[in-house]
């Protein structure tokens, strides 16, 4: 929860039950399912509705916990006091230590700090099309789950949207060689954060939670 709180409040990674790109993707799938129940086999309909309700319920429950900054306020303290009991604890603790260190180095930096704005469409143009650029909040975010029917359909919807886009927003650093002293800004934050996000996702998605966890020797 401390890690998630940091990613939500400071790194500003969007959450799927709030007003975000992923929120609208889940909404579209929900409307597709519930809009005409007769289009589905009854057993499938109840299963899909159950997955949608579960995603909403657990998503809102977790979001209420994330809104409370107590986990962020005590991140360092609880990290130091935490004693791993098994392999999963050790891996989670190691990732948390790296993310905490990143936060200490960059206490106010978010995923948008160096986001390239040159690829954004011109809102004043008559031909403005939101599909033109895959902005960062569209491909980075908290999701409900990463398996099952609901995830597969959200993933298909997102990929279909991305296939219509012509550019992707990424962190960039621009320097102007005009004889003036260069600033010391860099992309160290992003070079550390994104691999850690991949590491965290891999751990959460690939650990076999069905097996009995092996307790470490005292």
């Amino acid at each position: 929860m401390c890690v998630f709180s940091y990613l939500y409040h400071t790194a500003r990674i969007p959450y799927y039950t709030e007003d975000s790109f992923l929120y609208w993707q889940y909404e579209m799938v929900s409307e597709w399912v519930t809009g005409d129940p007769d289009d589905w086999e009854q057993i499938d309909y109840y299963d899909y509705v159950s997955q949608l309700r579960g995603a909403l319920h657990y998503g809102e429950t977790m979001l209420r916990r994330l809104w409370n900054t107590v986990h962020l306020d005590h991140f360092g303290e609880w990290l130091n006091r935490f004693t791993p009991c098994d392999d999963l604890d050790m891996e989670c603790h190691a990732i948390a230590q790296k993310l905490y260190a990143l936060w200490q180095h960059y206490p106010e930096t978010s995923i948008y700090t160096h986001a390239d704005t040159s690829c954004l469409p011109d809102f004043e143009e008559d031909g403005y099309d939101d599909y033109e650029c895959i902005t960062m909040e569209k491909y980075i975010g908290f999701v409900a789950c990463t398996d099952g029917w609901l995830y597969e359909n959200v993933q298909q919807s997102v990929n279909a949207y991305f296939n219509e886009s012509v550019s992707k927003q990424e962190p960039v650093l621009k320097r102007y060689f005009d004889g003036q002293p260069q600033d010391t800004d860099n992309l160290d934050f992003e070079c550390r954060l994104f691999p850690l996000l991949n590491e965290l996702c891999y751990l959460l998605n690939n650990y076999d939670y069905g097996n009995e966890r092996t307790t470490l020797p005292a």
Side-chain angles (χ1 to χ4, degrees):
M1 289 302 300
C2 292
V3 166
F4 289 165
S5 186
Y6 161 69
L7 295 176
Y8 176 76
H9 286 286
T10 306
R12 293 176 54 202
I13 293 179
Y15 196 85
Y16 76 94
T17 61
E18 290 189 305
D19 186 14
S20 63
F21 172 75
L22 280 172
Y23 169 81
W24 292 111
Q25 298 301 312
Y26 278 94
E27 276 292 292
M28 284 193 295
V29 174
S30 179
E31 292 175 4
W32 174 46
V33 173
T34 60
D36 195 349
D38 294 334
D39 280 352
W40 309 90
E41 294 289 339
Q42 189 176 60
I43 189 172
D44 291 336
Y45 176 76
Y46 288 135
D47 179 38
Y48 301 159
V49 169
S50 176
Q51 290 186 45
L52 288 163
R53 288 176 177 171
L56 180 62
H57 170 73
Y58 293 114
E60 290 182 341
T61 300
M62 290 297 293
L63 183 59
R64 286 195 296 271
R65 295 179 180 179
L66 288 178
W67 262 106
N68 189 336
T69 60
V70 64
H71 297 95
L72 192 61
D73 297 337
H74 294 277
F75 194 169
E77 174 192 349
W78 291 348
L79 186 64
N80 290 331
R81 290 168 51 188
F82 181 73
T83 302
C85 295
D86 56 28
D87 291 342
L88 178 61
D89 282 356
M90 291 181 64
E91 293 185 69
C92 289
H93 189 240
I95 294 175
Q97 286 179 313
K98 295 174 186 176
L99 285 166
Y100 181 76
L102 182 63
W103 179 34
Q104 298 310 293
H105 280 103
Y106 302 96
E108 298 182 357
T109 307
S110 76
I111 60 173
Y112 307 106
T113 299
H114 297 112
D116 184 15
T117 57
S118 64
C119 69
L120 298 177
D122 188 348
F123 289 87
E124 302 297 327
E125 283 188 7
D126 292 336
Y128 163 73
D129 188 349
D130 187 46
Y131 280 90
E132 290 183 9
C133 178
I134 305 173
T135 48
M136 294 187 67
E137 80 280 358
K138 294 176 181 176
Y139 65 89
I140 303 174
F142 286 95
V143 297
C145 60
T146 54
D147 58 15
W149 177 90
L150 177 57
Y151 174 71
E152 290 176 2
N153 280 271
V154 169
Q155 183 184 51
Q156 290 175 11
S157 177
V158 169
N159 287 337
Y161 181 97
F162 287 175
N163 287 335
E164 299 294 325
S165 304
V166 296
S167 61
K168 177 182 177 182
Q169 187 181 43
E170 295 180 302
V172 299
L173 197 64
K174 295 182 179 180
R175 298 200 184 280
Y176 299 93
F177 297 95
D178 54 2
Q180 299 298 317
Q182 297 293 323
D183 59 46
T184 58
D185 199 9
N186 56 58
L187 295 178
D188 177 63
F189 171 79
E190 291 82 0
C191 290
R192 292 167 62 182
L193 175 66
F194 294 132
L196 284 174
L197 291 180
N198 286 334
E199 189 177 341
L200 178 62
C201 290
Y202 182 85
L203 175 62
L204 296 177
N205 293 329
N206 291 279
Y207 185 83
D208 187 357
Y209 297 96
N211 285 345
E212 183 178 352
R213 292 166 62 174
T214 304
T215 303
L216 295 175

